[in-house]
Amino acid sequence: LQNTKDPQTILNILNILIEVVSVGGGRRASVLVTKGGTQILLQLLLTASKDSPPNEELMVLLHTLLAKIGPKDKKIGMKARINGALNISLNLVKQNLQNHKLVLPCLQVLRVYSTNSVNSVSLGKNGVVELMFKIIGPFTKKNTSLMKVALDTLAALLKSKTNARRAVDRGYVQVLLTIYVDWHRHDSRHRYMLIRKGVLQCIKSVTNIKLGRKAFIDANGMKILYNTSQECLAVRTLDPLVNTSSLIMRKCFPKNRLPLPTIKSAFHFQLPVIPASGPVAQLYNLPPDDESDDNDDAETESEIETENDDDKDQHFKNDDIETDINKLRPRQELGRPIEELKMYEQFFPELSENFQVKRPAFLELPKKDSIKDSSLHQQNDQRNQLPSCQCLSQEIVKGLDRMSLQNSAKNDQYYGTGCVIKKESKTSLTTLACSKPCEHVSPCGSSVFEGSSVQLGKLCCTRVDSEEEDSRSSSSGEQVMLEVSDVSPVHDCDLYIEMVKNTKSIPEYSEVAYPDYFGHIPPPFKEPILERPYGVQRTKISQDIERLIHQNDIIDRVVYDLDNLSCSVPEEADVLKFNSKFESGNLRKVIQIRKNEYDLILNSDINSNHYHQWFYFEVSGMKTGIGYRFNIINCEKSNSQFNYGMQPLMYSVQEALNSRPSWTRVGTDICYYKNHFSRSSIAAGGQKGKSYYTITFTVTFQHKDDVCYFAYHYPYTYSTLKMHLQKLESMHNPQQIYFRQDVLCETLAGNNCPLVTITAMPESNYYEHICQFRNRPYVFLSARVHPGETNASWVMKGTLEYLMSNNPSAQCLRESYIFKIIPMLNPDGVINGNHRCSLSGEDLNRQWQNPNPDLHPTIYHAKGLLQYLAAIKRLPVVYCDYHGHSRKKNVFMYGCSIKETMWHTNVNAASCDLMEDPGYRALPKILSQTAPAFCMGSCSFVVEKSKESTARVVVWREIGVQRSYTMESTLCGCDQGKYKV
């Protein structure tokens, strides 16, 4: 081509090249590009255009070949612009509109040129948008190939904001909608779906700008696309049209602010004032709410039927990985004067305990083989033999759904059949007492919540008229017996209430949720991952769009509102009743949308204006046989396991009274998707144009007028932790197990942060045994720094019970190590229903570098404990912080490694002269071989800049603990091993 000027030879060569590229595909097209083919063809095009008239066959062949190799040349747009080829192709189209043979390849080349934004603007100025609308038009069976290419070219051109504005100004949005409706009506056999989709792609491009969205709404586009997409639902092959229509409607749905007076939490806590000379000079005041950011023309993120947003933790961004080798090298430093660290000596009495007073010299512990596994259970069995009972009937189900802790005593009130609510002046505690004696035991006058030392034994449920009778009940009215010990070996209802009395909440909760009071047992069946029905997200989005189209069908009635305590619904109204005024509850507002559909808004973390994901609330007043839809509309994460089989949890009080006190996975038509409520840039961390997300699920209740609780995950309250620790302390054998519970510090709200020490008692008080006891290495564990990750507390509960058990391996661990455990690093957040923050409005797991003793006391003193151990040369062999993960399955760990961090960057780790002990992989590797739920493939040992203030990184870098981990547990089961569901 370069060396010949003979026209026929050039035509022959071009024909051969077109055939070669057509047969060889993209690979041979790439070869042509690397050989400089694009530049040669553009030069030929420029030369041929000077002929008058130009050779039509040559122009067709040149454009055909350029259209085939152009997509493989990323710089073709720039090359065409520099060579002046843009207007050549455009002028050919203008001058030969009726010559479809020539216009078709020219349009194909213009489509390739338009991938370059500068070219799109340049072509737009020369009238290419108007030209395209001369080619596309109403339904016709002629020249459909040309129509398809013209639509693809127009869609590419309209991605330019300048061209999109030009199209809007000329009224082309209405034209596109008219064309789409025409093709939709006439294409009854769906033979031209690609043309219909091409029109939708043009609409999608032009609605990327605010003017385009407004023009779409003004042209009644929402109703047009809604009606046409509904007509396409019956044909599966038309799903691309439905999905694209859905994306356009969601993008154009008018953005609304959440129906709240402020996005800040409904509750406020006055933080201590930090002096300017202190570690934290700024005042922790929230900025005012800003206005909606819908004035941006940024392209809305597209979301299709199944979102595939994998966790960003696994796909590292190079700009977030720490590349400074000096920052990566652990630099063990105390950070505080040794004199100041001496205050933590009181938390390590095991290092000086001589056991002379408690254990005489002649007393020795029994040998290992004489320790029975049943000692823990024997004490529990004795507890269950205590003669305490409650008589519960259906009439007091609603009374037990939450137990009111009143501030002032009132007169006794009659409640239901045979039940009196008594108020005790000493404890100001509402109690439920039976006025009818149980026939099979001594007269029952004890109340559920009397402050006596008698522990709860067997729960006596009298036969009630329930929808589903227990198979153990007889027609003669025999009572159903449920062992409270079956609920949990360390759950004590009376003790729980005692713990609640000393729990301090910002809203000053006066109620106790029934599941927390009574406890629960696992369901007697395996709960599989929910199979997600095809098209469920699309259906839910369509129903949301109906709100805009059929506004007269929307009830829009507020039925629960923390910001308006006077909000009430008439008793005769056929609506559900909601409540979350109990520990860890966080429901802020509920709006009835349709008869059986409700929008729910979660409360922000206190002293914050965001972090919405955890939920825990109560529902009552339901009917059976009706599907109730719940939409939690202010979630923030971009994806959730609710899109991959996770279900919300529900606890039914009626089921508990029928001897089935369980949290069970419920709900159908579950999905998680972006909605039309806009987030302010302040709440979105400075990012504009962000939207909230909706968790939606539908529940059909089994019992009429039941009281049910819904939760994001199995709730675990601060009062539950205190109860469990109290029970463990009272039930352990002090001759075998050294168990100590201290108060590390007080939180901002005045709640105690417990510190637990567990190890084995020395074999005797002989000197060598005491030395062995004192010289055991430390293992430091912590959990629940993020309140919404309740599974971290359940894993910690299992850890504590295992370490306190008579299992031989647990006994071996106790004899080998001293376990220092902080089971709940953020009690205030847990109590007040926060998802991620403490009362300071900050993520405590980002405060480990410079914790403030006034604002972050639990972190400050937890780090102080570790610094003290480093100061006395007793570094823990392992530090592990328990967390929960909302977007991954299985259990896995994050650790710290310099080499593995460098391997994920362009820096050669070998060139850094690094010597690193690979021991940081030992514990995860052991777990992967012994624990079926553990997934080594999900583990990571990369140190990211955004995580440099986390416990894992700070304990590794500053304290010097090589095996410093974050252990993540899934919220949604396993996809591997024996627990795969």
Side-chain angles (χ1 to χ4, degrees):
L1 285 175
Q2 282 181 307
N3 299 327
T4 183
K5 295 187 178 180
D6 178 45
Q8 190 58 47
T9 303
I10 292 175
L11 292 175
N12 292 337
I13 293 174
L14 289 175
N15 276 310
I16 292 172
L17 289 175
I18 290 172
E19 185 176 352
V20 168
V21 173
S22 299
V23 174
R27 186 175 61 85
R28 292 185 178 177
S30 299
V31 172
L32 281 178
V33 171
T34 57
K35 297 293 183 179
T38 305
Q39 190 68 35
I40 294 171
L41 292 175
L42 290 172
Q43 191 62 46
L44 277 173
L45 181 63
L46 185 63
T47 302
S49 67
K50 296 178 181 178
D51 296 339
S52 183
N55 187 324
E56 178 180 327
E57 185 180 1
L58 179 60
M59 286 297 183
V60 169
L61 292 177
L62 281 172
H63 281 87
T64 301
L65 189 55
L66 278 170
K68 289 182 179 293
I69 72 170
K72 295 296 180 181
D73 189 345
K74 296 180 179 180
K75 296 184 178 181
I76 187 172
M78 180 186 66
K79 294 175 181 177
R81 188 171 63 254
I82 293 174
N83 282 276
L86 291 180
N87 290 331
I88 294 175
S89 302
L90 179 59
N91 290 331
L92 282 173
V93 176
K94 288 180 178 180
Q95 298 165 7
N96 299 274
L97 273 178
Q98 304 305 317
N99 186 350
H100 297 158
K101 179 183 177 182
L102 177 59
V103 170
L104 182 62
C106 289
L107 288 179
Q108 290 173 333
V109 171
L110 287 175
R111 180 179 59 188
V112 175
Y113 291 164
S114 299
T115 56
N116 182 288
S117 59
V118 177
N119 289 351
S120 291
V121 174
S122 177
L123 289 169
K125 291 179 180 179
N126 290 322
V128 70
V129 174
E130 293 83 354
L131 182 63
M132 292 300 105
F133 277 96
K134 292 180 180 180
I135 299 174
I136 65 175
F139 177 80
T140 177
K141 294 183 179 180
K142 298 179 181 179
N143 304 317
T144 54
S145 298
L146 184 64
M147 177 80 167
K148 174 65 175 64
V149 175
L151 286 169
D152 291 343
T153 305
L154 180 59
L157 289 165
L158 292 177
K159 289 182 179 179
S160 160
K161 293 180 182 180
T162 303
N163 291 338
R165 292 190 190 100
R166 181 176 287 108
V168 173
D169 292 341
R170 286 159 177 73
Y172 289 148
V173 175
Q174 177 71 66
V175 174
L176 287 170
L177 288 168
T178 303
I179 292 173
Y180 181 72
V181 171
D182 189 64
W183 280 86
H184 173 79
R185 289 175 179 171
H186 290 89
D187 186 21
S188 56
R189 296 188 178 182
H190 314 304
R191 293 179 176 176
Y192 305 108
M193 190 184 73
L194 292 179
I195 291 179
R196 292 158 66 182
K197 186 177 180 182
V199 180
L200 289 176
Q201 290 293 342
C202 293
I203 298 173
K204 180 183 174 185
S205 295
V206 79
T207 52
N208 282 338
I209 63 172
K210 185 178 181 181
L211 284 175
R213 293 192 288 272
K214 183 178 183 302
F216 178 83
I217 294 293
D218 292 343
N220 205 21
M222 293 291 285
K223 189 171 184 179
I224 291 172
L225 290 194
Y226 174 80
N227 291 334
T228 55
S229 61
Q230 291 300 303
E231 293 170 7
C232 294
L233 288 176
V235 184
R236 187 76 174 263
T237 55
L238 297 181
D239 279 354
L241 301 182
V242 179
N243 291 336
T244 306
S245 297
S246 177
L247 287 174
I248 295 169
M249 288 187 286
R250 292 174 67 188
K251 179 166 53 176
C252 296
F253 201 114
K255 295 291 184 182
N256 298 322
R257 301 299 299 273
L258 287 172
L260 297 172
T262 172
I263 58 173
K264 300 173 188 175
S265 173
F267 307 116
H268 177 72
F269 176 78
Q270 185 61 47
L271 295 174
V273 178
I274 308 301
S277 59
V280 181
Q282 69 182 56
L283 293 177
Y284 284 75
N285 294 324
L286 291 177
D289 297 348
D290 63 349
E291 296 301 320
S292 174
D293 297 307
D294 191 40
N295 55 356
D296 273 296
D297 286 338
E299 182 175 359
T300 305
E301 301 170 19
S302 61
E303 296 173 50
I304 56 175
E305 171 63 22
T306 302
E307 298 179 78
N308 294 311
D309 180 23
D310 291 331
D311 192 333
K312 65 182 179 181
D313 291 336
Q314 194 64 15
H315 301 279
F316 303 105
K317 298 179 180 179
N318 282 338
D319 57 355
D320 191 34
I321 298 178
E322 183 58 74
T323 57
D324 188 336
I325 193 67
N326 294 321
K327 290 184 178 181
L328 282 174
R329 293 183 188 276
R331 54 178 194 279
Q332 187 173 345
E333 53 188 32
L334 295 181
R336 292 159 67 179
I338 188 65
E339 294 77 14
E340 184 178 335
L341 291 175
K342 286 182 179 179
M343 64 181 287
Y344 297 106
E345 184 178 1
Q346 62 179 308
F347 298 110
F348 297 90
E350 63 274 7
L351 296 180
S352 57
E353 178 67 72
N354 56 24
F355 300 96
Q356 293 297 325
V357 177
K358 294 183 180 179
R359 305 186 62 225
F362 61 85
L363 181 61
E364 292 188 7
L365 291 175
K367 299 299 182 180
K368 294 181 183 179
D369 55 3
S370 66
I371 298 176
K372 304 298 182 184
D373 293 339
S374 59
S375 62
L376 189 64
H377 302 293
Q378 288 173 353
Q379 294 189 29
N380 197 45
D381 291 339
Q382 293 174 3
R383 176 176 64 87
N384 291 329
Q385 295 171 5
L386 293 172
S388 175
C389 76
Q390 286 78 38
C391 299
L392 304 177
S393 63
Q394 192 175 25
E395 288 81 2
I396 64 170
V397 172
K398 292 183 180 178
L400 282 177
D401 65 334
R402 53 187 185 270
M403 308 308 179
S404 298
L405 305 175
Q406 305 295 339
N407 294 324
S408 60
K410 297 182 180 179
N411 296 329
D412 294 351
Q413 301 176 15
Y414 185 75
Y415 188 90
T417 303
C419 181
V420 177
I421 299 184
K422 296 183 178 180
K423 312 281 182 158
E424 296 185 20
S425 58
K426 290 183 179 180
T427 59
S428 298
L429 184 63
T430 298
T431 62
L432 294 175
C434 301
S435 62
K436 292 183 178 180
C438 301
E439 297 178 357
H440 65 294
V441 294
S442 58
C444 178
S446 62
S447 67
V448 175
F449 297 132
E450 286 181 336
S452 65
S453 60
V454 178
Q455 300 178 1
L456 187 63
K458 296 181 177 180
L459 178 63
C460 166
C461 301
T462 58
R463 184 175 177 83
V464 297
D465 297 328
S466 60
E467 292 87 343
E468 182 181 347
E469 297 183 354
D470 194 284
S471 59
R472 291 174 291 176
S473 299
S474 65
S475 59
S476 61
E478 178 183 351
Q479 277 80 15
V480 177
M481 305 303 295
L482 176 67
E483 294 284 352
V484 174
S485 61
D486 291 339
V487 174
S488 171
V490 292
H491 191 91
D492 187 316
C493 304
D494 288 337
L495 181 57
Y496 183 82
I497 295 303
E498 292 301 315
M499 298 297 103
V500 168
K501 294 178 186 178
N502 297 319
T503 297
K504 301 172 183 177
S505 63
I506 304 308
E508 297 182 352
Y509 292 130
S510 61
E511 299 167 359
V512 175
Y514 187 83
D516 302 326
Y517 158 71
F518 187 72
H520 69 277
I521 58 176
F525 50 85
K526 187 176 181 180
E527 294 182 302
I529 295 292
L530 183 69
E531 191 78 22
R532 175 167 166 165
Y534 180 82
V536 61
Q537 177 171 301
R538 189 175 62 196
T539 301
K540 297 301 179 183
I541 293 171
S542 295
Q543 292 172 1
D544 288 350
I545 292 170
E546 287 176 6
R547 299 188 189 187
L548 183 66
I549 299 173
H550 306 297
Q551 296 185 16
N552 293 334
D553 297 338
I554 303 303
I555 299 174
D556 199 28
R557 173 166 54 186
V558 177
V559 297
Y560 179 82
D561 192 355
L562 280 185
D563 297 295
N564 180 14
L565 299 180
S566 62
C567 171
S568 61
V569 179
E571 288 295 330
E572 63 274 9
D574 186 16
V575 298
L576 296 178
K577 297 175 180 59
F578 293 83
N579 179 52
S580 69
K581 298 172 184 175
F582 45 78
E583 188 173 348
S584 294
N586 71 335
L587 187 61
R588 180 169 184 172
K589 189 172 186 176
V590 180
I591 304 169
Q592 185 182 19
I593 300 301
R594 299 180 178 93
K595 183 178 180 181
N596 300 314
E597 181 179 356
Y598 298 84
D599 278 358
L600 286 68
I601 302 176
L602 306 178
N603 196 21
S604 300
D605 287 4
I606 292 179
N607 277 338
S608 169
N609 51 27
H610 55 142
Y611 296 119
H612 314 96
Q613 206 79 16
W614 162 258
F615 58 86
Y616 186 20
F617 58 90
E618 171 201 296
V619 178
S620 60
M622 65 283 293
K623 296 180 179 179
T624 58
I626 296 175
Y628 292 92
R629 179 181 172 184
F630 300 94
N631 310 309
I632 300 174
I633 63 173
N634 63 329
C635 299
E636 295 176 346
K637 291 192 175 182
S638 60
N639 206 354
S640 168
Q641 282 293 320
F642 283 113
N643 276 334
Y644 306 100
M646 181 172 162
Q647 295 173 274
L649 285 155
M650 188 185 82
Y651 186 105
S652 164
V653 173
Q654 182 64 56
E655 285 291 295
L657 296 180
N658 288 340
S659 306
R660 294 182 292 273
S662 299
W663 283 99
T664 56
R665 299 282 180 181
V666 298
T668 57
D669 296 341
I670 301 172
C671 57
Y672 185 94
Y673 59 90
K674 185 187 295 183
N675 59 35
H676 61 277
F677 292 102
S678 62
R679 296 173 62 189
S680 70
S681 59
I682 292 176
Q687 301 181 60
K688 296 184 177 181
K690 291 292 183 179
S691 295
Y692 286 106
Y693 290 77
T694 292
I695 299 172
T696 182
F697 55 93
T698 301
V699 176
T700 302
F701 297 97
Q702 297 182 23
H703 307 285
K704 181 181 179 182
D705 292 328
D706 196 359
V707 177
C708 295
Y709 293 80
F710 290 92
Y712 182 65
H713 197 68
Y714 302 95
Y716 191 101
T717 65
Y718 172 67
S719 298
T720 299
L721 171 67
K722 292 193 295 181
M723 177 195 65
H724 284 163
L725 293 179
Q726 191 85 356
K727 293 300 294 182
L728 286 174
E729 185 169 15
S730 65
M731 293 163 61
H732 84 284
N733 186 341
Q735 290 188 324
Q736 299 175 8
I737 301 175
Y738 181 95
F739 180 93
R740 180 183 174 89
Q741 184 181 172
D742 294 293
V743 175
L744 176 63
C745 62
E746 278 196 352
T747 64
L748 288 173
N751 294 292
N752 292 335
C753 179
L755 170 67
V756 175
T757 305
I758 300 175
T759 188
M761 292 292 288
E763 189 173 343
S764 73
N765 65 341
Y766 292 157
Y767 176 77
E768 58 271 21
H769 292 157
I770 299 297
C771 286
Q772 189 276 340
F773 172 87
R774 293 177 179 175
N775 289 319
R776 293 170 187 167
Y778 278 93
V779 173
F780 204 108
L781 307 176
S782 61
R784 204 67 184 280
V785 69
H786 294 147
E789 297 168 6
T790 59
N791 49 350
S793 280
W794 288 106
V795 175
M796 178 57 75
K797 175 180 179 289
T799 301
L800 290 168
E801 292 180 357
Y802 173 76
L803 290 175
M804 295 291 287
S805 73
N806 289 320
N807 186 295
S809 58
Q811 183 176 333
C812 182
L813 283 172
R814 291 194 301 267
E815 292 173 352
S816 303
Y817 301 98
I818 300 174
F819 291 87
K820 283 288 179 184
I821 303 172
I822 306 177
M824 191 172 285
L825 280 167
N826 192 353
D828 288 344
V830 172
I831 294 166
N832 294 286
N834 286 6
H835 175 67
R836 195 166 184 88
C837 297
S838 69
L839 292 185
S840 68
E842 300 167 290
D843 182 347
L844 289 183
N845 202 35
R846 296 297 185 275
Q847 309 304 322
W848 278 78
Q849 270 190 326
N850 296 296
N852 184 279
D854 296 316
L855 294 174
H856 326 114
T858 60
I859 305 302
Y860 181 83
H861 293 295
K863 185 177 182 180
L865 292 175
L866 290 160
Q867 290 171 324
Y868 175 77
L869 286 175
I872 63 172
K873 310 301 182 184
R874 294 294 299 272
L875 274 180
V877 292
V878 169
Y879 170 76
C880 189
D881 191 24
Y882 293 7
H883 284 252
H885 208 283
S886 65
R887 289 182 285 183
K888 284 187 179 182
K889 291 181 169 62
N890 309 311
V891 181
F892 51 95
M893 280 181 162
Y894 294 133
C896 301
S897 164
I898 301 178
K899 280 196 171 183
E900 295 200 32
T901 301
M902 304 307 287
W903 285 336
H904 282 85
T905 67
N906 295 325
V907 180
N908 188 349
S911 66
C912 297
D913 192 27
L914 294 176
M915 297 295 293
E916 186 174 45
D917 185 347
Y920 63 88
R921 277 185 166 264
L923 183 57
K925 190 66 176 178
I926 292 171
L927 288 173
S928 69
Q929 295 172 350
T930 58
F934 195 88
C935 178
M936 190 69 185
S938 295
C939 295
S940 169
F941 304 92
V942 173
V943 179
E944 298 166 273
K945 295 176 184 177
S946 59
K947 306 295 175 61
E948 64 181 4
S949 294
T950 62
R952 164 178 63 98
V953 176
V954 171
V955 173
W956 169 72
R957 181 182 292 168
E958 296 183 17
I959 308 299
V961 178
Q962 183 196 29
R963 298 176 182 87
S964 179
Y965 306 104
T966 296
M967 186 168 72
E968 301 275 2
S969 302
T970 180
L971 291 164
C972 182
C974 302
D975 57 10
Q976 64 165 40
K978 64 181 289 188
Y979 298 122
K980 182 178 180 180
V981 289

